Amino acid sequence: MENVVDVKGLTRRYGDFCAVDGLDLVVTQGECLAVLGPNGAGKTTTIEILEGYRYRDAGDVHVLGMDPATADRRWRARLGIVLQSASDLGDLTVRESIQHFARFYSHPRGTSEVLDITGLADKSDARNSSLSGGQRRRLDVALGIVGRPELLFLDEPTTGFDPEARQVFWQLIHRLKSEGTTIVLTTHYLEEADALADRVVVIARGRKVADTTPALLGRRTSDDVRVSWWEGNERHDELTRTPTALIASLAQRLGGEIPHLEVSRPTLEQAYLELLDGGGRT
Amino acid sequence: MNLLSLYVDRSRLEIRALLRDKRSITFSMFLPIFLLLIFGSVFGHQEIGQSGVKFSQYFVAGMLASGLLYSAFQQLAIMIPEERSNGTLKRLVGSPMPKSVYFVGKFACSLFIYVFQAIFLLGIGHLAFGITMPRSVNLWFVFVWVSFLGLVVSTLLGVAFSTLAKDGRAASALATPVVLFFQFTSGVYLIYTQLPRWMQTIAALFPLKWMAQAMRGVFLPAAFAANEAGGSYEFTKAAIVLGIWTVVGALLCAFTFRWLPKDAD
């Protein structure tokens, strides 16, 4: 089957700065891909080239079988876009906004269905300008999915969310995934990639430094385990490959219970930082 | 999705949003009406020379012409940069909306503001200051085409001007002085023929002078035409100048309009 997104050698420069540097990217049907990377890594530039907003200096780009740079309205109708930040439509209500955007598509979802999926039914008659950050993002998603897109782009959808709003938002994305929507998501939160994505692409300085599953991304680090404890009124830390032996010897030395014992595997976060470190070296 | 129904839907949405925006209501809808009340109360009964025409009658014609600038040029020159910076345009151009829908919505919104202003200017002018209505059906017809053509020019120039500012605040600082400059030099607040020659010459290159003069032709007595710069209200010349500015405005829009902020493509 043809890939939903197929990118080869994508390059974009801003003056002397190379924001995207020969990037290859593939997204298959029904997949949720997280594009992960620090600020300035080239995530938004990449996504906005795929959405047809920005031009590119080089590379082959196919999204839903077409080149976004020359695509038409019929192509746009198959796409859902949730931009990084938007504060438009403030004087309209949630319902008015959804109804208005529905009219641009030939087979839109019903307004009540969209309100239900995005959990905005209670807010349907509220002015958009009165919505909280999380509700506002859900409105952006509502407008992104009202046309039943085959492919949905989400650009840093949960930046600035509190943990509860993030959980609610993730459930929404899970629901869209289960309906078969192909999703491309950029984020700089690892736990978001972990919670939502089937596959993770890590970008640093415009280059791909990893293309793997969230689970494998975590396992890429060394086998060292961190053991920490209190001894003589200060905290001790040790990295070891044999934690059990270390704890046994500590127990012996400290005479039984080890104060404030903690044993931790390197987190996804550490794996990620290690990757970025590697990607930064030129 | 039929294009006409999209035009209607977008126009209704724009007008609905306008009526919920206090700033637009104050600055675009009510401003000319406030100005008429103030200028009419202070200078309204003064006669212009020995013409028998009261300043309030002269001023209403000028305010109707200014209304064409307020409702379209000023409104759009400020609103569009704001919509470019807050993501409205980016969202629309990323959707399958036919692009003309946006511009038709903006024009409809300007038309709505202008009709509102015209009704209140003439109504309040008549009741408070004894403004007289056009003397013939012909003159009402002139009023309609001057209004329509003036609104088209004003819309196109507002859309073109919107490219200059990066957001609504910057746009306000750019567009408001332009409107004031042309009001002072085109015979709205001051009598056109009493202005220095160079000022008249500059103003005569731009649309507002011709819109105001044609509006005077509609609302002032035929005999007053002798007091105009050309000794006549020059309806034909006004139509030609507005026609030329329509073409210029359309070309400017076609070559300069941006959906995305600068450096965002």
Side-chain angles (χ1 to χ4, degrees):
Chain A
M1 195 193 301
E2 197 181 42
N3 292 320
V4 177
V5 174
D6 207 331
V7 174
K8 283 189 189 70
L10 179 63
T11 301
R12 173 64 201 268
R13 291 179 203 90
Y14 299 111
D16 290 337
F17 175 67
C18 198
V20 183
D21 189 3
L23 191 76
D24 297 341
L25 197 66
V26 165
V27 185
T28 58
Q29 182 94 46
E31 187 178 35
C32 179
L33 173 77
V35 179
L36 205 63
N39 287 328
K43 301 191 298 291
T44 294
T45 296
T46 302
I47 289 291
E48 292 200 345
I49 288 170
L50 302 187
E51 292 165 343
Y53 281 125
R54 289 174 191 260
Y55 68 87
R56 60 184 190 263
D57 292 308
D60 276 334
V61 178
H62 287 275
V63 175
L64 294 169
M66 290 188 79
D67 181 342
T70 55
D72 57 6
R73 281 178 40 219
R74 258 179 308 171
W75 176 79
R76 293 225 157 271
R78 299 167 62 197
L79 216 67
I81 296 176
V82 177
L83 293 167
Q84 201 174 103
S85 64
S87 53
D88 56 331
L89 307 165
D91 290 319
L92 300 172
T93 67
V94 171
R95 181 190 303 277
E96 286 165 349
S97 311
I98 296 170
Q99 282 171 340
H100 181 62
F101 277 84
R103 299 190 65 131
F104 300 147
Y105 301 88
S106 45
H107 300 290
R109 291 179 207 259
T111 306
S112 51
E113 183 192 343
V114 175
L115 287 169
D116 176 48
I117 297 175
T118 51
L120 286 170
D122 292 346
K123 286 279 167 189
S124 62
D125 293 316
R127 295 274 171 92
N128 297 336
S129 55
S130 73
L131 300 179
S132 72
Q135 291 161 347
R136 170 74 222 198
R137 286 315 258 153
R138 281 185 272 148
L139 170 67
D140 290 332
V141 173
L143 300 179
I145 63 166
V146 68
R148 298 182 199 278
E150 295 164 49
L151 169 63
L152 180 66
F153 288 106
L154 297 159
D155 198 1
E156 296 187 8
T158 64
T159 300
F161 277 27
D162 61 45
E164 195 191 335
R166 183 165 292 139
Q167 285 295 334
V168 172
F169 196 88
W170 288 353
Q171 283 165 22
L172 162 60
I173 303 306
H174 275 298
R175 173 155 179 184
L176 294 171
K177 256 178 77 174
S178 69
E179 289 177 6
T181 312
T182 306
I183 296 172
V184 177
L185 153 101
T186 74
T187 181
H188 44 224
Y189 300 120
L190 283 150
E191 65 273 29
E192 185 154 284
D194 199 23
L196 298 177
D198 302 312
R199 200 157 54 86
V200 186
V201 163
V202 182
I203 298 183
R205 303 187 182 191
R207 291 186 188 173
K208 186 158 77 176
V209 293
D211 186 341
T212 179
T213 64
L216 285 176
L217 182 64
R219 240 184 275 159
R220 279 181 60 115
T221 42
S222 56
D223 299 322
D224 289 346
V225 171
R226 180 179 301 277
V227 178
S228 69
W229 70 98
W230 280 77
E231 190 178 347
N233 272 335
E234 59 183 313
R235 188 185 150 105
H236 293 258
D237 250 337
E238 207 170 309
L239 281 178
T240 173
R241 292 193 175 193
T242 52
T244 315
L246 175 63
I247 291 168
S249 77
L250 280 174
Q252 212 161 33
R253 196 168 78 220
L254 299 169
E257 204 54 43
I258 308 168
H260 299 284
L261 173 68
E262 275 176 45
V263 182
S264 58
R265 295 245 155 220
T267 59
L268 197 55
E269 191 86 30
Q270 285 161 321
Y272 171 66
L273 291 173
E274 247 173 56
L275 261 175
L276 295 185
D277 223 24
R281 265 182 240 129
T282 44
Chain B
M1 44 175 185
N2 148 354
L3 196 58
L4 193 67
S5 81
L6 288 182
Y7 288 161
V8 172
D9 191 61
R10 181 79 197 167
S11 301
R12 283 169 50 185
L13 192 90
E14 288 270 8
I15 292 168
R16 195 178 300 158
L18 171 87
L19 292 175
R20 291 175 187 169
D21 177 14
K22 292 187 189 73
R23 199 189 43 177
S24 284
I25 291 178
T26 315
F27 282 96
S28 295
M29 299 182 70
F30 280 105
L31 185 62
I33 298 155
F34 291 146
L35 290 172
L36 173 66
L37 287 172
I38 293 166
F39 277 73
S41 305
V42 179
F43 305 110
H45 294 288
Q46 293 178 12
E47 191 182 329
I48 299 172
Q50 306 290 312
S51 64
V53 172
K54 286 192 297 183
F55 183 74
S56 54
Q57 190 81 20
Y58 191 97
F59 191 69
V60 151
M63 265 301 110
L64 284 166
S66 298
L68 293 169
L69 287 202
Y70 288 133
S71 57
F73 176 81
Q74 180 169 295
Q75 171 76 7
L76 299 181
I78 295 171
M79 275 309 265
I80 297 177
E82 197 167 308
E83 295 190 339
R84 197 181 283 117
S85 67
N86 74 13
T88 305
L89 296 188
K90 194 169 186 178
R91 189 193 299 284
L92 289 175
V93 81
S95 82
M97 178 195 79
K99 292 190 173 76
S100 63
V101 171
Y102 177 72
F103 299 105
V104 169
K106 285 290 175 227
F107 181 76
C109 192
S110 294
L111 181 65
F112 175 86
I113 299 172
Y114 178 69
V115 169
F116 176 91
Q117 288 176 354
I119 290 171
F120 275 81
L121 282 172
L122 293 175
I124 291 176
H126 184 68
L127 295 175
F129 306 111
I131 305 292
T132 55
M133 295 297 129
R135 302 175 302 281
S136 67
V137 176
N138 259 350
L139 288 178
W140 276 112
F141 175 70
V142 173
F143 175 62
V144 170
W145 76 247
V146 170
S147 295
F148 184 78
L149 198 51
L151 205 62
V152 169
V153 170
S154 181
T155 300
L156 289 170
L157 294 181
V159 172
F161 200 85
S162 75
T163 314
L164 298 179
K166 78 173 196 324
D167 56 32
R169 289 168 65 122
S172 195
L174 281 176
T176 314
V178 170
V179 171
L180 273 173
F181 172 80
F182 284 109
Q183 284 179 313
F184 277 108
T185 57
S186 304
V188 172
Y189 295 123
L190 306 168
I191 309 293
Y192 182 72
T193 48
Q194 295 172 0
L195 298 173
R197 180 68 64 187
W198 64 267
M199 223 182 247
Q200 292 188 24
T201 311
I202 294 173
L205 296 172
F206 292 92
L208 183 60
K209 184 259 178 190
W210 300 96
M211 301 193 285
Q213 186 173 299
M215 286 296 184
R216 287 198 296 277
V218 172
F219 288 92
L220 269 54
F224 188 84
N227 299 323
E228 292 291 349
S232 135
Y233 291 121
E234 301 178 293
F235 289 144
T236 315
K237 217 168 163 184
I240 292 170
V241 172
L242 293 180
I244 291 171
W245 273 105
T246 304
V247 175
V248 171
L251 288 173
L252 282 174
C253 290
F255 287 107
T256 65
F257 188 77
R258 281 197 317 258
W259 290 89
L260 302 184
K262 223 175 214 160
D263 306 324
D265 58 352

